[in-house]
């Protein structure tokens, strides 16, 4: 098995090609698989860069996407791109596209088949298609809220509106992360790269297979051999009951408040009897809800923020685990969720986000390594970038302590599905399925590929 | 060595937010200057920095300041100590979020430190 990581911190096409050419000249094997992870700085030239890579490796299978940053033993950057070149038959790429979550990922699951030891699943958690579609979301929201939700007299009627709205969201924009993982085959550990950029723009997140943009679809990179999949979250263990988990959240997070939520599917109608954005504005005086034009302008210029230090922690009816949904001041009356809310209690917890122990808590991922001489591919929650700034380099220092050869990605909070969890994670929101909108990290240790 | 440093700082010089990258010696003499647009405003900023640099460097090296930041109307200037004798100054527009740029500046500082064979003092950069 040959594995090599090549990266370039440059953003312009000419500089990228110059740098990559010199690095490719030292390559001593023909890769069978190319995993390409680009950062936002390459956005303008990324199609040309992919064309160049296609001309360089025309017969090599390729998969990739945009991430926030990456790290190798030599350096870490939030710009340029990183390529993982693999020469082995123990890795393959599959992809699928369908009308909704179930169709896309059931199709992908049957494509994958069985016999794999780990799967890296790349898909857009929230897809921002284009200006026209963004306007459609806005006007749909007005229609569903003003003409249907507000006129509903009972909670049951409201839930019916939310169910319809939720179905619309799922068919065009959102792949609810827990539903995606549920649709995937049992038995093989699945690492989910549920993409949602820190600062979104139209046409993001972007995912590629064989040098082509696949739009709103799912890609599975499957590994076979001596491979170990590891998950970690920075939170304390969950409780054994709703009350216990609430107590744990109260102790861990600041500004905690119990709230009642009207929700269904992936839509929230109200928090404590008012619209979620009004609730956020009431709690955090500094937040003023943006208007439609300001929101569209942010999406056009790539400054549409998708992270927030305030959110609602939902508690699972199945495991008493918890996942937080960040609240942002955008002009949407019915608030969308990135995960299916049906498995959660209607009573939730409003909180301000923080990570106890700071950046050190993310380093514990590497302590869970079981192979000493493996190539390690890890994904760290991208919330660490705005949260820790320059200090995120400490994560790379932690990695160097335990890993000899690695490639790290800073990307959306990864999810995980496996029967082999080492402790009762707070993020285990369904049996053997972990997801949280922040504080998670995953790693694939590759000792040998078949 | 300056050529190598110039190559190391290149990725951040090309950043859309960055207007200027200057490597200063301890006495305030610029060793390397990469300026995107040479205009009067930039000259004024450089003049201002020249007047400030010595006292700033004193604070960086004698008071263990990790980073110094000036904020003008829509521009921010940050200075990062690289070694006991070198400081990297970056001037950037603050229209866009700078957290990714800051992470990359740390990468650049680390690579220059490797080049000048300077071992980072833990007390200067402790968490």
């Amino acid at each position: 098995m040959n594995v090599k990581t090549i990266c370039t911190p440059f953003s312009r096409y000419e500089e990228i090609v110059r740098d990559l050419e010199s690095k490719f000249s030292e390559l001593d094997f023909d890769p069978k698989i190319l995993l390409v992870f680009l950062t936002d700085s390459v956005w303008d030239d990324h199609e040309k860069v992919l064309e160049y890579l296609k001309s360089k490796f025309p017969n090599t299978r390729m998969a990739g996407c945009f991430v926030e940053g990456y790290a190798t033993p030599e350096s870490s950057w939030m710009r340029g791109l990183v390529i993982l070149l693999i020469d082995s038959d123990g890795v393959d790429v599959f992809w699928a596209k369908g009308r909704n979550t179930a169709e896309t990922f059931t199709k992908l699951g049957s494509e994958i088949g069985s016999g794999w030891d780990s799967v890296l699943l790349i898909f857009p958690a929230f897809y921002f298609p284009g200006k026209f579609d963004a306007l459609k979301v806005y006007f749909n929201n007005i229609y569903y809220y003003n003409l249907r939700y507000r006129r509903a007299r009972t909670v049951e009627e409201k839930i019916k509106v939310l169910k319809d709205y939720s179905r619309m969201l799922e068919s065009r924009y959102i792949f609810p992360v827990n539903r995606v993982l549920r649709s995937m085959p049992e038995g093989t550990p699945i690492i989910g790269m549920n993409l949602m950029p820190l600062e979104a723009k139209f046409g993001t997140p972007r995912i590629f297979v064989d040098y082509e943009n696949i739009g709103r679809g799912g890609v599975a990179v499957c590994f076979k051999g001596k491979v170990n999949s590891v998950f970690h979250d920075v939170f304390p263990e969950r409780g054994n009951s709703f009350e216990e988990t609430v107590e744990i959240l109260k102790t861990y997070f600041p500004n905690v408040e119990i709230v009642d939520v009207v929700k269904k599917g992936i839509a929230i109608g109200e928090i404590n009897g008012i619209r979620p954005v009004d609730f956020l504005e009431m709690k955090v005086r500094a937040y003023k809800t943006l208007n439609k034009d300001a929101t569209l302008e942010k999406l056009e210029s790539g400054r549409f923020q998708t992270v927030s230090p305030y959110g609602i922690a939902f508690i699972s009816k199945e495991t008493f685990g918890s996942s937080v949904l960040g609240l942002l001041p955008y002009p949407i009356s019915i608030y969308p969720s990135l995960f299916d809310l049906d498995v959660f209690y209607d009573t939730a917890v409003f909180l301000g986000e923080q990570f106890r122990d700071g950046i050190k808590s993310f380093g514990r991922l590497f302590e869970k390594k079981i192979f000493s001489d493996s190539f390690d591919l890890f994904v760290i929650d991208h919330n660490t970038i705005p949260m820790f700034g320059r200090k995120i380099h400490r994560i790379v220092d932690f990695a160097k302590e335990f890993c000899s050869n690695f490639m790290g990605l800073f990307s959306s909070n990864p999810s995980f599905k496996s029967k082999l969890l080492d402790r009762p994670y707070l993020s285990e929101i369904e049996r053997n399925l972990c997801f949280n909108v922040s504080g998670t990290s995953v790693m694939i240790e590759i000792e040998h590929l078949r | 060595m300056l050529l190598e440093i110039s190559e190391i700082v290149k990725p951040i010089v090309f950043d859309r937010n960055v207007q200027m990258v200057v490597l200063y010696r301890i006495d305030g003499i610029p060793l390397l200057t990469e300026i995107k647009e040479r205009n009067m405003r930039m000259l004024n900023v450089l003049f201002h920095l020249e007047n400030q640099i010595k006292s700033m460097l004193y604070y960086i090296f004698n008071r263990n300041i990790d980073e110094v930041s000036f904020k003008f109307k829509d521009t921010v200037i940050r200075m990062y100590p690289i070694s006991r004798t070198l400081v990297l100054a970056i001037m950037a527009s603050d229209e866009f979020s700078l957290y990714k740029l800051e992470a990359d500046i740390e990468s650049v500082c680390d690579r220059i430190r490797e080049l000048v064979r300077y071992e980072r003092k833990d007390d200067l950069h402790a968490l």
Side-chain angles (χ1 to χ4, degrees):
Chain A
M1 173 188 89
N2 283 313
V3 179
K4 191 173 170 65
T5 310
I6 287 176
C7 71
T8 173
F10 294 103
S11 307
R12 291 181 188 171
Y13 175 71
E14 293 76 18
E15 296 283 345
I16 292 171
V17 170
R18 181 183 62 85
D19 198 23
L20 287 182
E21 275 293 335
S22 71
K23 287 169 180 166
F24 286 148
S25 65
E26 290 163 19
L27 197 64
D28 52 4
F29 63 91
D30 281 330
K32 288 199 172 80
I33 296 280
L34 230 62
L35 299 183
V36 182
F37 298 97
L38 308 119
T39 66
D40 188 48
S41 77
V42 188
W43 179 263
D44 292 340
D45 285 342
H46 77 272
E47 280 161 356
K48 281 199 279 179
V49 171
L50 290 177
E51 277 299 313
Y52 159 74
L53 290 173
K54 191 178 178 179
S55 66
K56 199 82 193 160
F57 304 99
N59 302 317
T60 307
R61 295 228 60 198
M62 175 267 178
C65 63
F66 273 87
V67 295
E68 303 299 333
Y70 56 85
T72 66
E74 291 78 37
S75 56
S76 71
W77 293 101
M78 303 295 132
R79 66 192 59 234
L81 60 106
V82 65
I83 306 169
L84 179 64
L85 304 102
I86 307 172
D87 175 24
S88 168
D89 292 326
V91 56
D92 208 347
V93 173
F94 303 92
W95 73 284
K97 216 171 160 178
R99 277 172 299 178
N100 55 33
T101 315
E103 195 181 301
T104 304
F105 293 94
T106 312
K107 208 159 129 188
L108 186 59
S110 57
E111 291 259 332
I112 292 170
S114 57
W116 299 101
D117 294 301
S118 187
V119 174
L120 179 70
L121 182 65
I122 308 170
F123 63 95
F126 198 122
Y127 188 63
F128 299 86
K131 195 171 182 178
F132 180 67
D133 280 286
L135 281 168
K136 249 163 74 176
V137 174
Y138 178 74
F139 289 116
N140 261 323
N141 205 281
I142 291 175
Y143 163 72
Y144 276 96
Y145 187 75
N146 289 354
L147 299 178
R148 292 189 59 190
Y149 190 86
R150 277 171 62 176
R151 291 178 183 179
R153 286 162 194 265
T154 62
V155 174
E156 286 72 31
E157 281 177 29
K158 286 178 178 178
I159 283 175
K160 194 181 171 305
V161 178
L162 294 177
K163 193 177 175 183
D164 293 345
Y165 183 71
S166 189
R167 201 176 297 140
M168 184 278 295
L169 281 179
E170 213 186 309
S171 67
R172 290 176 195 163
Y173 312 102
I174 296 176
F175 282 140
V177 178
N178 46 351
R179 206 173 286 170
V180 167
L181 294 183
R182 249 184 262 152
S183 308
M184 294 300 286
E186 298 291 328
T188 309
I190 293 169
I191 283 175
M193 283 181 74
N194 21 264
L195 303 177
M196 170 107 162
L198 274 178
E199 290 180 313
K201 59 176 151 236
F202 294 129
T204 58
R206 205 158 272 198
I207 300 171
F208 309 94
V209 174
D210 296 335
Y211 311 101
E212 299 289 337
N213 175 15
I214 63 156
R216 188 173 175 257
V219 178
V221 183
C222 304
F223 299 91
K224 197 186 285 178
K226 208 171 168 189
V227 178
N228 181 42
S229 308
V230 185
F231 174 82
H232 175 66
D233 78 21
V234 299
F235 307 110
E237 291 178 5
R238 64 177 185 267
N240 292 316
S241 65
F242 175 83
E243 292 74 21
E244 262 185 49
T245 300
V246 168
E247 277 312 307
I248 289 165
L249 292 172
K250 275 183 176 172
T251 321
Y252 188 85
F253 292 101
N255 311 320
V256 168
E257 184 187 327
I258 306 288
V259 292
D260 288 315
V261 182
V262 178
K263 63 175 176 57
K264 180 71 191 166
I266 50 170
I268 302 172
E270 54 194 76
I271 301 172
N272 278 358
I274 55 174
R275 294 188 314 160
V277 282
D278 293 337
F279 177 81
L280 177 68
E281 206 171 301
M282 189 181 81
K283 288 288 160 199
V284 189
R285 296 279 173 202
Y287 277 2
K288 290 278 168 269
T289 306
L290 293 174
N291 61 29
K292 173 183 72 93
D293 294 333
T295 307
L296 287 177
E297 197 272 321
K298 276 184 181 290
L299 268 167
E300 256 167 337
S301 61
R303 286 186 292 138
F304 183 93
Q305 288 215 339
T306 61
V307 290
S308 164
Y310 297 96
I312 301 285
F314 290 95
I315 295 162
S316 164
K317 292 177 198 168
E318 193 180 312
T319 60
F320 307 112
S322 175
S323 181
V324 181
L325 176 69
L327 290 179
L328 286 154
Y330 291 122
I332 31 178
S333 300
I334 300 179
Y335 203 84
S337 164
L338 297 178
F339 49 99
D340 180 12
L341 297 167
D342 290 347
V343 290
F344 297 91
Y345 287 98
D346 293 334
T347 303
V349 178
F350 174 73
L351 44 80
E353 192 178 56
Q354 73 161 24
F355 297 143
R356 290 270 168 88
D357 294 340
I359 202 151
K360 273 187 282 182
S361 51
F362 282 87
R364 295 195 189 109
L365 171 76
F366 307 107
E367 292 169 11
K368 296 178 182 178
K369 256 179 78 66
I370 59 166
F371 299 141
S372 55
D373 193 26
S374 56
F375 175 84
D376 304 321
L377 167 61
F378 61 86
V379 185
I380 304 282
D381 169 20
H382 61 194
N383 284 294
T384 49
I385 306 170
M387 204 167 273
F388 300 115
R390 289 165 65 199
K391 289 175 187 166
I392 61 157
H393 282 252
R394 285 297 302 250
I395 292 178
V396 186
D397 294 340
F398 295 136
K400 281 181 188 169
E401 273 179 43
F402 295 90
C403 315
S404 51
N405 192 7
F406 64 83
M407 183 176 89
L409 301 172
F410 293 95
S411 184
S412 308
N413 40 288
S415 51
F416 191 59
K417 181 181 176 178
S418 171
K419 285 183 179 164
L420 301 167
L421 292 170
D422 60 325
R423 68 183 181 104
Y425 288 104
L426 185 74
S427 308
E428 191 181 348
I429 52 171
E430 290 178 37
R431 201 67 60 205
N432 306 324
L433 193 159
C434 300
F435 174 72
N436 207 324
V437 294
S438 66
T440 58
S441 50
V442 290
M443 179 164 61
I444 304 177
E445 291 180 76
I446 306 170
E447 170 94 340
H448 175 72
L449 288 172
R450 243 180 269 158
Chain B
M1 186 177 276
L2 274 178
L3 268 175
E4 282 174 85
I5 293 175
S6 158
E7 195 64 26
I8 290 170
V9 299
K10 226 181 210 175
I12 55 169
V13 171
F14 287 144
D15 189 287
R16 60 180 170 174
N17 298 327
V18 173
Q19 294 156 8
M20 183 179 82
V21 177
V22 188
L23 183 70
Y24 283 105
R25 210 166 66 183
I26 187 137
D27 54 4
I29 304 288
L31 296 175
L32 175 82
T33 313
E34 299 274 4
I35 301 176
K36 270 200 190 141
E37 277 180 50
R38 288 164 196 270
N39 53 28
M40 272 308 286
R41 184 167 167 265
M42 214 54 91
L43 276 176
N44 285 337
V45 171
L46 279 171
F47 181 68
H48 170 80
L49 275 183
E50 258 180 46
N51 291 334
Q52 298 291 326
I53 197 83
K54 283 177 191 168
S55 62
M56 290 288 79
L57 290 174
Y58 169 80
Y59 281 106
I60 287 170
F61 292 110
N62 294 300
R63 305 262 175 111
N64 278 353
I65 290 178
D66 193 28
E67 170 190 321
V68 177
S69 182
F70 298 99
K71 175 104 168 54
F72 293 87
K73 193 181 166 194
D74 53 357
T75 310
V76 65
I77 296 174
R78 297 226 170 114
M79 294 159 71
Y80 306 89
I82 284 176
S83 68
R84 289 275 165 201
T85 54
L86 293 172
V87 169
L88 189 70
I90 311 275
M91 181 173 153
S93 148
D94 75 343
E95 269 182 47
F96 295 89
S97 33
L98 296 175
Y99 43 79
K100 283 190 192 171
L101 177 63
E102 285 191 352
D104 284 341
I105 288 168
E106 190 64 15
S107 286
V108 165
C109 291
D110 276 348
R111 293 187 69 187
I112 299 175
R113 276 185 203 112
E114 274 172 30
L115 193 70
V116 298
R117 292 180 187 168
Y118 178 78
E119 274 194 34
R120 195 160 64 167
K121 291 271 189 267
D122 279 345
D123 62 345
L124 207 65
H125 293 272
L127 288 174

